[in-house]
Amino acid sequence: MEKKSARVVTFSKRKSGLFKKAMELSILCEAAVALVIFSVGGNSYSFGHPSIKAVIDKFPHQGPESRRGSNKPSKDDEIDELSRRLRDLEDQLKVEKNKSEILDNGLNQIKLKVGKSSIDCLNLEELKKFKASLEALNADLKLSMSEMEAASSLLLIAEKDV
């Protein structure tokens, strides 16, 4: 169009038509819709249902932060971190199981040498200390197991989200 006034009128009518269609689409299809139009003069016009911000927030990797190099870790980074933590916890569990096996073997060897359980040789005070150490060990094991279960659950949740 050669006449600027004709272009402005056409832009205004088509803009209204586009906004009307976007509104109909959002209502009839229950869709989240965002529409942004820039005029030749640099003015911006927008329509959003439920709002422009709500629609844009559904696409976090499409916003200006992603183009500028956001410091927020991506889902893949979070999954990698959770996987690394899970492997670390599994390694710790293996080490603790190995320690337990070594202690069990040592205890069995002592039992064979002495001919009776070494716990039978303890007095009341030593038995109380032994009981307290067993309870502390049990609490540590429960804590380690709950940490591993939590890490495993987070990993499963993160994998489902991706």
Side-chain angles (χ1 to χ4, degrees), residues 31-35 47-60:
V33 176
L35 176 64
F47 168 83
H49 179 78
S51 71
I52 291 281
K53 182 168 177 24
V55 176
I56 291 173
D57 287 345
K58 288 186 178 186
F59 301 97

Side-chain angles (χ1 to χ4, degrees), residues 103-124 126-127 130 134:
L103 289 172
D104 287 343
N105 289 337
L107 184 60
N108 288 335
Q109 288 176 0
I110 291 172
K111 284 181 184 178
L112 289 175
K113 287 181 183 177
V114 175
K116 62 179 182 176
S117 174
S118 60
I119 199 168
D120 293 336
C121 301
L122 300 177
N123 64 30
L124 182 60
E126 292 170 330
L127 283 172
F130 183 65
L134 287 176

Side-chain angles (χ1 to χ4, degrees), residues 31-147:
V33 176
L35 176 64
V36 179
I37 301 173
F38 294 95
S39 70
V40 176
N43 296 326
S44 64
Y45 304 91
S46 63
F47 168 83
H49 179 78
S51 71
I52 291 281
K53 182 168 177 24
V55 176
I56 291 173
D57 287 345
K58 288 186 178 186
F59 301 97
H61 299 294
Q62 304 299 319
E65 296 85 22
S66 65
R67 289 188 289 272
R68 284 188 238 137
S70 174
N71 292 333
K72 185 177 179 183
S74 69
K75 292 263 188 213
D76 291 338
D77 293 339
E78 290 176 25
I79 290 172
D80 290 343
E81 176 63 19
L82 289 173
S83 296
R84 185 194 60 77
R85 288 176 51 194
L86 179 61
R87 282 191 303 274
D88 290 346
L89 289 172
E90 288 172 341
D91 291 344
Q92 286 177 354
L93 180 62
K94 286 178 186 176
V95 167
E96 294 301 322
K97 283 183 179 181
N98 288 338
K99 286 181 184 178
S100 175
E101 289 175 8
I102 291 169
L103 289 172
D104 287 343
N105 289 337
L107 184 60
N108 288 335
Q109 288 176 0
I110 291 172
K111 284 181 184 178
L112 289 175
K113 287 181 183 177
V114 175
K116 62 179 182 176
S117 174
S118 60
I119 199 168
D120 293 336
C121 301
L122 300 177
N123 64 30
L124 182 60
E125 190 62 34
E126 292 170 330
L127 283 172
K128 287 180 180 179
K129 288 180 182 177
F130 183 65
K131 179 184 176 189
S133 66
L134 287 176
E135 288 172 346
L137 179 62
N138 188 27
D140 288 345
L141 286 174
K142 285 181 181 178
L143 180 63
S144 295
M145 290 299 291
S146 66
E147 287 174 354

Side-chain angles (χ1 to χ4, degrees), residues 5-20:
S5 61
R7 275 196 309 260
V8 170
V9 170
T10 302
F11 174 81
S12 179
K13 288 180 180 178
R14 291 199 175 180
K15 177 186 71 157
S16 297
L18 280 173
F19 283 166
K20 182 178 178 185

